[in-house]
């Protein structure tokens, strides 16, 4: 049972435009959500997070939006840069668990 | 500030053998979690250690075991290796067991033949 889903395996965006990565979850107990970026041959790097008591969190070019009623979150990258090309993982956690539950990832390619 | 480190980088083992993977947590972090990432999948939680005690376990068989040492470094041991154990093994550390944010090492790529 896939509790965290990233339905788009890949996304291609032109440099300077907006990248929108989507994530859906099924477990209503999740209360914290994170985005990680992963380059080849490296471990995932923490990017940005959001608590379920918020609906938006912003950090520079990165903004995460949370829609609890739809059990959906998205990561917006504006403007996109070639260095943003990587695999992006959405992850979720809850207060009564010790683990992060990851989606399958979306490969973002930013082209000039 | 030293980040999370893992060793070795790559490892090739034969089915039935045993393997030990190592992880040094980030400075100031007392909690270590281990994840398995198969090709094309997201990381899957194996277990977590907090102050040398197992603090949660995912759906992995008992042949996956671990240790955490007083300096908060950790080992993942896998016995009776199977072909399906071939994966990237990731270690992540966090400030304590109540921290949501986990910081990952580069991983160990294990190939079982």
């Amino acid at each position: 049972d896939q509790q965290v889903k990233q339905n788009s395996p890949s996304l291609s965006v032109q440099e300077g435009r907006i990248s929108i990565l989507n994530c859906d979850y099924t477990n209503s107990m999740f209360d914290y959500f994170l985005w990680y970026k992963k380059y080849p041959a490296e471990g995932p790097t923490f990017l940005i997070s959001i608590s379920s008591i918020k609906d938006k969190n912003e950090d520079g070019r990165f903004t995460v939006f949370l829609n609890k009623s739809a059990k959906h979150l998205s990561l917006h990258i504006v403007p996109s840069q070639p260095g943003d090309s990587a695999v992006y993982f959405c992850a979720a956690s809850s207060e009564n668990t010790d683990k992060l539950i990851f989606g399958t990832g979306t490969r973002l390619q930013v082209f000039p | 500030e030293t980040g999370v480190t893992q060793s070795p980088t790559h490892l090739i083992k034969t089915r039935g053998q045993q393997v030990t993977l190592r992880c040094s947590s980030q400075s100031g972090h007392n909690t270590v979690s281990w994840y398995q990432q198969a090709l094309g999948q997201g990381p899957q939680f194996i277990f977590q250690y907090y102050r040398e005690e197992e603090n949660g376990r995912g759906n992995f068989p008992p042949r996956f075991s671990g240790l955490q040492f007083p300096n908060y470094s950790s080992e993942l041991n896998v016995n009776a290796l199977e072909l399906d154990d071939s994966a990237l093994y990731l270690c992540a550390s966090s400030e304590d067991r109540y921290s949501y944010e986990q910081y990952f090492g580069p991983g160990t790529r294990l190939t079982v033949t």
Side-chain angles (χ1 to χ4, degrees), chain B residues 9-44:
Chain B
T9 306
H10 296 90
L11 204 51
I12 299 174
K13 289 286 189 177
T14 303
R15 191 171 50 184
Q17 285 187 316
Q18 177 265 345
V19 69
T20 297
L21 311 181
R22 295 178 175 82
C23 169
S24 292
S25 60
Q26 186 167 314
S27 176
H29 289 188
N30 60 26
T31 301
V32 171
S33 302
W34 285 92
Y35 292 81
Q36 179 196 67
Q37 186 179 11
L39 205 59
Q41 301 296 315
Q44 299 288 315

Side-chain angles (χ1 to χ4, degrees), chain A residues 51-71:
Chain A
S51 164
S52 61
I53 63 173
K54 296 183 175 181
D55 55 18
K56 177 182 174 181
N57 188 27
E58 193 171 353
D59 183 3
R61 297 187 297 115
F62 303 91
T63 303
V64 55
F65 295 92
L66 176 62
N67 182 333
K68 289 188 291 292
S69 60
K71 293 190 176 68

Side-chain angles (χ1 to χ4, degrees), chain A residues 42-105:
Chain A
E42 295 184 13
T45 301
F46 170 71
L47 202 54
I48 191 169
S49 61
I50 187 166
S51 164
S52 61
I53 63 173
K54 296 183 175 181
D55 55 18
K56 177 182 174 181
N57 188 27
E58 193 171 353
D59 183 3
R61 297 187 297 115
F62 303 91
T63 303
V64 55
F65 295 92
L66 176 62
N67 182 333
K68 289 188 291 292
S69 60
K71 293 190 176 68
H72 176 84
L73 64 155
S74 61
L75 174 67
H76 293 211
I77 306 174
V78 184
S80 301
Q81 299 173 354
D84 296 329
S85 298
V87 177
Y88 289 78
F89 290 99
C90 168
S93 187
S94 61
E95 190 176 16
N96 60 354
T97 185
D98 312 299
K99 60 187 177 183
L100 295 177
I101 298 176
F102 284 84
T104 53

Side-chain angles (χ1 to χ4, degrees), chain B residues 21-95:
Chain B
L21 311 181
R22 295 178 175 82
C23 169
S24 292
S25 60
Q26 186 167 314
S27 176
H29 289 188
N30 60 26
T31 301
V32 171
S33 302
W34 285 92
Y35 292 81
Q36 179 196 67
Q37 186 179 11
L39 205 59
Q41 301 296 315
Q44 299 288 315
F45 177 75
I46 302 174
F47 43 56
Q48 183 183 82
Y49 277 83
Y50 168 70
R51 293 188 179 276
E52 302 179 60
E53 297 287 332
E54 186 177 291
N55 186 51
R57 189 178 182 92
N59 293 326
F60 281 81
R63 58 190 186 83
F64 285 77
S65 63
L67 282 173
Q68 188 180 32
F69 300 99
N71 66 353
Y72 305 130
S73 65
S74 178
E75 286 182 355
L76 164 66
N77 298 291
V78 187
N79 293 321
L81 283 167
E82 301 177 359
L83 297 179
D84 284 348
D85 295 333
S86 295
L88 180 68
Y89 288 85
L90 295 162
C91 168
S93 73
S94 47
E95 285 189 9

